[in-house]
Amino acid sequence: MPNPRKAEDLPSIERLRELFYVDEEWKLRNRVDRGNSAKAGNEAGWTDKKGYRNVKVGGVTVLVHRAIFALHHGRWPSLDLDHMDQNRTNNAPSNLRDGSHEINMQNRSGIVGKSGYAGVRVTKGGRFQAVVSIYDVNIKFGIFDTPEEAHQAYLAAKERLHPRFLRPRNSSESKRLSLRRIAPLTTA
């Protein structure tokens, strides 16, 4: 069974505590011998193609970061679980955010298209449009002569609409974002 979302398909928190513990580096470890290579004290599970750790519990595959969240909070996450720093191996509870799929998608790396910039589309006329998506609705923030101008408009809109999820892509952008004040967005 793939990673279940329904509470009734998930192992109980008590069962997790019987089988695993979390070490000081926030790695899930086997509390008891569970098979040939699953010895007590060893890191539990395997890493999948996407870079996530997984573990089997009673025939159910569980993502390790969800199991660590459950062990730490005493409950399974209610929605998607987001690695705030985008490091799939950093399973510290302070790095795991329980939120909607939409919120999780705001924390992904910027998808860069033909423009070469996240949040910038090339128009049919060869100009550049800034776009931010909110709940599958694209909000357009103007058309610009250069992709850099459109990207700056995108960053300003993103900072206003999704301030918790704006991550600088490089050190110069980091300095610019920390010093810059953004004027409130207005609607026409």
Side-chain angles (χ1 to χ4, degrees):
M1 174 183 289
N3 300 305
R5 298 292 174 153
K6 295 179 186 171
E8 61 268 15
D9 295 335
L10 294 166
S12 70
I13 305 301
E14 294 75 29
R15 183 64 178 147
L16 287 180
R17 288 188 177 124
E18 290 171 9
L19 296 174
F20 308 107
Y21 67 94
V22 181
D23 70 13
E24 63 281 350
E25 295 178 355
W26 299 106
K27 293 187 186 294
L28 192 68
R29 301 230 173 242
N30 294 310
R31 188 176 294 279
V32 296
D33 287 349
R34 299 185 59 229
N36 292 338
S37 61
K39 302 291 182 196
N42 285 356
E43 187 173 5
W46 69 93
T47 303
D48 65 20
K49 291 185 271 185
K50 294 180 179 179
Y52 290 105
R53 297 279 306 167
N54 292 265
V55 66
K56 277 231 192 250
V57 181
V60 175
T61 301
V62 177
L63 287 162
V64 165
H65 61 282
R66 294 180 71 80
I68 289 174
F69 181 96
L71 287 167
H72 182 76
H73 294 285
R75 66 174 178 83
W76 286 99
S78 55
L79 302 167
D80 277 9
L81 200 54
D82 179 35
H83 286 87
M84 292 189 294
D85 69 356
Q86 291 193 313
N87 178 351
R88 293 173 181 177
T89 64
N90 180 0
N91 293 320
S94 61
N95 186 49
L96 300 175
R97 174 175 38 215
D98 191 7
S100 69
H101 182 69
E102 177 68 24
I103 287 171
N104 195 357
M105 291 297 94
Q106 292 303 323
N107 193 30
R108 66 188 173 160
S109 295
I111 296 174
V112 178
K114 293 178 184 178
S115 72
Y117 291 87
V120 178
R121 294 184 179 165
V122 180
T123 67
K124 289 182 182 178
R127 294 182 74 205
F128 303 91
Q129 184 174 53
V131 180
V132 174
S133 294
I134 301 175
Y135 300 105
D136 295 327
V137 175
N138 291 326
I139 301 172
K140 298 166 185 155
F141 290 94
I143 296 177
F144 302 87
D145 292 327
T146 69
E148 294 84 4
E149 291 172 321
H151 186 62
Q152 287 306 310
Y154 161 78
L155 290 175
K158 180 104 170 157
E159 188 167 358
R160 274 287 184 228
L161 298 168
H162 305 296
R164 292 177 25 202
F165 306 105
L166 183 67
R167 278 188 337 281
R169 306 284 185 235
N170 57 50
S171 61
S172 65
E173 192 169 294
S174 175
K175 290 175 191 165
R176 217 174 31 252
L177 289 173
S178 64
L179 297 174
R180 186 167 45 118
R181 288 257 182 215
I182 306 297
L185 294 173
T186 58
T187 56

